[in-house]
Amino acid sequence: MLEQNISTVNNDVKTLVKDAQALFTAATALTGEKAEELRGRGMRALDTALAKAHEAQVSAVAATKEAAKQADEYVKENPWRSIAAAAGIGLLIGVIIGRK
């Protein structure tokens, strides 16, 4: 779910940046009030993109902290299972490296 949200935000940010670039390109050909209006719309689009990127970052940090908290609780509740899992993963990695 987090990956889907990040992907959606990433696509939204890319779209907003492309729209802003198009507005700035159009504004360079114009002068006066119309150019100022296009520049303003472009700046608002970039501000929106930055806000969405910040929201995605905050969401990702919160999800990572929650996952770390849950992992910490699991290890504290099941220390021997955690040790066995770590040993199993270490053995697996050792076998894979040893074959190469």
Side-chain angles (χ1 to χ4, degrees):
M1 180 166 186
L2 178 62
E3 290 176 16
Q4 182 181 6
N5 289 343
I6 291 173
S7 176
T8 301
V9 169
N10 191 21
N11 289 338
D12 288 349
V13 169
K14 285 180 182 179
T15 301
L16 287 168
V17 169
K18 285 180 184 177
D19 290 348
Q21 288 173 335
L23 288 170
F24 285 132
T25 301
T28 58
L30 300 174
T31 58
E33 289 181 28
K34 195 70 170 171
E36 287 299 319
E37 178 187 340
L38 287 175
R39 284 187 199 101
R41 286 175 48 196
M43 290 304 293
R44 285 190 297 277
L46 289 175
D47 289 342
T48 302
L50 286 173
K52 285 189 177 241
H54 179 71
E55 289 173 17
Q57 178 185 12
V58 168
S59 175
V61 167
T64 302
K65 285 183 180 180
E66 181 62 28
K69 180 182 172 187
Q70 289 177 355
D72 186 50
E73 289 174 5
Y74 180 82
V75 168
K76 287 179 181 176
E77 292 172 5
N78 304 295
W80 291 109
R81 282 187 183 174
S82 301
I83 291 170
I89 291 170
L91 178 66
L92 181 63
I93 291 172
V95 169
I96 290 172
I97 290 173
R99 288 187 173 189
K100 290 184 178 185

